[in-house]
């Protein structure tokens, strides 16, 4: 049995307001993506596959040379969407029935090894595992006429990555055309008839989306050093 980690790093930096894709931005002196890769390599027997847009691969190679980054990983060209990027990565692997694969956002560099390991173990037992945290803000649903309706937040969860699955089951689930309701890997898996098990996520497992997130992430890293 092998543990694989597909790290999807296809951001352009548009929402972040940067000319540098956010997965390459410095976080306490090193690119975000390097820190993300290292978290998975701390888990024993994990093989990392990074998915990057073809036009970013040369720049990533330059960054690895600049930072002396030699952590073992392979790079696969992404597609036109996250769906296609994950599918490309799955097709690049020589999977067996026993293998487990985690799919993770390249811009979630603070994921703990404990959470990663928990999703691997849960997916091995139940087929699929996704981390989730309680929703603390009030939430409303917008209706077609522009009005809104309050939702009961106690029954809602915010979903994170890594989303982890029995690898061949996920590969089979991805053997379909893209649909707009495929918002993450779990939705693709459920569309194929699978069910997912929730595991407890982490408040520190933040996704770098806006400039303030870098500041928060650096504070978290510094507070643990």
């Amino acid at each position: 049995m092998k543990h694989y980690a597909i790290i999807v790093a296809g951001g352009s930096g548009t929402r972040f307001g940067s000319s540098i894709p956010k997965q390459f931005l410095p976080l306490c002196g090193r690119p975000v993506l390097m820190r993300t890769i290292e978290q998975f390599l701390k888990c024993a027997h994990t093989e990392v596959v990074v998915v990057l847009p073809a036009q970013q691969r040369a720049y990533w190679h330059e960054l690895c040379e600049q930072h002396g980054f030699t952590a073992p990983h392979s790079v696969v060209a992404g597609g036109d969407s996250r769906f296609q990027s994950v599918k490309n990565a799955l097709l690049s692997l020589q999977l067996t029935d026993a293998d487990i694969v985690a799919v993770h956002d390249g811009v979630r560099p603070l994921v703990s090894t404990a959470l990663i390991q928990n999703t691997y173990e849960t997916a091995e037992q139940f087929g699929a595992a996704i981390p989730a945290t309680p929703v603390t803000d009030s939430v409303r649903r917008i209706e077609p006429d522009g009005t809104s309706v309050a939702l009961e937040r106690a029954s809602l969860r915010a979903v994170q990555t890594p989303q982890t699955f029995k690898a061949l089951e996920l590969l089979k689930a991805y053997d379909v055309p893209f649909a707009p309701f495929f918002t993450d890997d779990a939705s693709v898996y459920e569309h194929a008839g699978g069910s997912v098990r929730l595991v407890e996520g982490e408040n520190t497992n933040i996704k770098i989306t806006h400039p303030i997130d870098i500041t928060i992430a650096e504070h978290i890293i510094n507070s643990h050093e």
Side-chain angles (χ1 to χ4, degrees), residues 27 210-220:
L27 176 60
H210 305 288
I212 189 63
D213 298 324
I214 287 286
T215 302
I216 294 170
E218 288 184 335
H219 175 75
I220 294 171

Side-chain angles (χ1 to χ4, degrees), residues 148-211:
S148 64
V149 177
L151 300 180
E152 174 51 60
R153 67 185 179 192
S155 64
L156 300 175
R157 294 294 183 270
V159 174
Q160 302 177 337
T161 66
Q163 299 189 3
T164 307
F165 309 85
K166 289 187 175 179
L168 285 180
E169 291 183 9
L170 185 62
L171 176 61
K172 183 178 179 180
Y174 265 89
D175 190 23
V176 292
F178 172 75
F181 53 82
F182 291 155
T183 58
D184 61 3
D185 306 288
S187 60
V188 178
Y189 186 79
E190 287 177 319
H191 178 69
S195 61
V196 300
R197 178 66 63 100
L198 295 184
V199 301
E200 187 175 352
E202 299 170 332
N203 291 331
T204 53
N205 184 22
I206 64 173
K207 185 177 182 181
I208 305 296
T209 306
H210 305 288

Side-chain angles (χ1 to χ4, degrees), residues 4-8 36 39-40 43 82 100-106 108-120 122-123 128-132 159-165 184-186 197-202 205:
Y4 291 99
I6 295 173
I7 299 179
V8 186
T36 305
Q39 290 304 103
F40 280 86
C43 298
R82 188 183 189 282
I100 307 294
V101 61
V103 184
H104 188 66
D105 299 324
R108 287 187 189 268
L110 304 185
V111 61
S112 73
T113 54
L115 177 56
I116 295 168
Q117 196 61 41
N118 190 13
T119 66
Y120 278 129
T122 303
I130 61 174
V159 174
Q160 302 177 337
T161 66
Q163 299 189 3
T164 307
F165 309 85
D184 61 3
D185 306 288
R197 178 66 63 100
L198 295 184
V199 301
E200 187 175 352
E202 299 170 332
N205 184 22

